[in-house]
């Protein structure tokens, strides 16, 4: 890892057997904010059985305000290792209000392929997207949804039908004016 003694201390504290030490360190990270710790926190979320630690990590991720956190969260969502945390990882994407619009395809796939609770969280991420998205990209996603409806469960059908209507309403990507 890094030579930075503060970072080393934080990493050591996050891996401590002392749950109070871990919780205090998570609180400290909430205040100092540094997205480079996200992979460590997600690994801890995956490995701990302590409900309070899990809840503190999820809260921290849900309140992130730094856009450099987006690719780190997306990477964890795509990692099969974290399948048991998928619902929580997807839900923090809409809770934190960051712009995940460039990952529209990922969230559409999650709605189509995941169990209902994960699909519902992914649907909510899409429903809350505010970033501008290119029309052709949106159309590709709508076509994917139409194809998925042929094999969809009754439970998911309403999500897919709503997405068909919602996705075209996401603002179009405009050419930048100079």
């Amino acid at each position: 890892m890094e030579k930075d003694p503060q970072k080393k201390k934080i990493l050591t504290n996050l891996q401590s057997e002392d749950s109070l030490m871990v919780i205090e360190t998570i609180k400290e990270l909430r205040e100092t904010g540094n997205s480079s710790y996200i992979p460590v926190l997600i690994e801890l979320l995956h490995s701990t059985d302590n409900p309070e630690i899990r809840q503190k990590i999820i809260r921290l991720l849900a309140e992130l305000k730094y856009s450099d956190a987006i690719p780190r969260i997306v990477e964890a969502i795509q990692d099969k290792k974290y399948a048991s945390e998928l619902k929580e990882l997807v839900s923090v994407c809409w809770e934190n209000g960051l712009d995940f619009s460039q990952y529209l395809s990922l969230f559409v796939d999650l709605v189509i392929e995941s169990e209902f609770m994960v699909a519902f969280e992914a649907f909510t991420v899409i429903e809350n997207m505010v970033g501008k998205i290119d029309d052709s990209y949106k159309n590709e996603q709508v076509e994917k949804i139409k194809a998925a409806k042929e094999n969809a469960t009754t439970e998911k059908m309403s999500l897919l039908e709503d997405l068909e209507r919602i996705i075209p309403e996401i603002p179009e990507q405009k050419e930048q004016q100079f």
Side-chain angles (χ1 to χ4, degrees):
M1 212 34 65
E2 299 198 7
K3 307 260 190 287
D4 181 356
Q6 178 63 16
K7 186 163 187 164
K8 190 168 176 23
K9 177 180 178 267
I10 289 172
L11 292 173
T12 303
N13 291 351
L14 286 174
Q15 295 162 350
S16 171
E17 293 296 316
D18 178 358
S19 59
L20 290 175
M21 170 75 73
V22 174
I23 289 166
E24 280 306 310
T25 306
I26 293 168
K27 280 184 191 169
E28 189 182 317
L29 284 175
R30 281 179 74 145
E31 290 159 24
T32 58
N34 181 337
S35 64
S36 68
Y37 294 106
I38 291 173
V40 178
L41 289 168
I42 291 171
E43 182 58 36
L44 180 58
L45 178 67
H46 176 69
S47 63
T48 187
D49 294 328
N50 183 314
E52 189 177 0
I53 291 174
R54 289 181 61 82
Q55 186 260 332
K56 296 277 187 220
I57 293 170
I58 292 164
R59 239 3 320 120
L60 183 150
L61 295 173
E63 294 172 3
L64 288 170
K65 295 300 171 218
Y66 302 104
S67 58
D68 62 341
I70 294 170
R72 296 170 195 270
I73 295 170
V74 166
E75 198 173 300
I77 288 170
Q78 293 172 321
D79 190 334
K80 300 285 182 238
K81 174 182 181 180
Y82 302 119
S84 56
E85 291 77 35
L86 190 57
K87 179 183 172 289
E88 291 80 6
L89 291 171
V90 174
S91 72
V92 302
C93 295
W94 65 264
E95 290 177 34
N96 63 32
L98 294 172
D99 179 10
F100 285 86
S101 58
Q102 75 180 85
Y103 298 100
L104 173 62
S105 178
L106 169 66
F107 292 102
V108 168
D109 290 345
L110 287 169
V111 172
I112 293 168
E113 298 163 10
S114 302
E115 56 94 13
F116 185 78
M117 289 312 296
V118 172
F120 184 77
E121 296 295 345
F123 171 87
T124 307
V125 174
I126 295 168
E127 191 176 41
N128 287 286
M129 282 185 178
V130 292
K132 297 188 182 326
I133 302 172
D134 181 71
D135 274 345
S136 63
Y137 181 54
K138 289 189 289 190
N139 292 338
E140 286 173 27
Q141 301 313 307
V142 170
E143 290 305 314
K144 195 183 335 179
I145 291 164
K146 285 178 181 173
K149 283 171 48 181
E150 293 177 23
N151 303 312
T153 61
T154 312
E155 197 177 37
K156 277 199 192 171
M157 188 59 79
S158 64
L159 291 181
L160 295 171
E161 287 171 348
D162 285 349
L163 278 186
E164 253 184 298
R165 183 180 42 74
I166 291 167
I167 290 174
E169 295 171 3
I170 300 170
E172 181 186 352
Q173 181 71 53
K174 301 282 186 229
E175 293 294 317
Q176 298 233 323
Q177 302 294 319
F178 294 102

